[in-house]
């Protein structure tokens, strides 16, 4: 495999950087809101699961 010079590497990086399609501000805003809502939903879900399993383990320990 042929080595590329640092200057050629920089040119290639810049060429690839120009191909990137950045999201618009509304897309970024909507995605951030969606991620925030999903985080809250998942946090509540895992809190519930953890509470149920914790109660089950405490109940099983009372049997021992």
């Amino acid at each position: 495999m042929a080595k590329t010079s640092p200057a050629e590497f920089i040119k290639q990086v810049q060429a690839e950087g120009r191909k990137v399609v950045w999201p618009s501000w509304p897309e970024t805003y909507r995605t951030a809101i969606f991620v925030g809502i999903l985080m809250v939903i998942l946090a509540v879900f895992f809190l519930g699961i953890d509470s149920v399993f914790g109660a089950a383990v405490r109940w099983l320990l009372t049997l021992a």
Side-chain angles (χ1 to χ4, degrees):
M1 188 161 140
K3 288 189 173 186
T4 25
S5 69
E8 183 61 31
F9 177 74
I10 297 295
K11 286 179 189 175
Q12 290 175 359
V13 169
Q14 288 174 340
E16 290 298 319
R18 282 188 221 99
K19 294 179 187 177
V20 174
V21 179
W22 295 99
S24 65
W25 173 245
E27 287 175 317
T28 305
Y29 182 75
R30 274 193 307 260
T31 303
I33 295 296
F34 176 74
V35 168
I37 291 170
L38 201 57
M39 274 183 8
V40 169
I41 291 171
L42 287 173
V44 170
F45 171 76
F46 285 119
L47 174 66
I49 295 295
D50 187 52
S51 298
V52 168
F53 279 118
V57 168
R58 280 192 299 277
W59 179 74
L60 287 172
L61 288 175
T62 62
L63 299 177

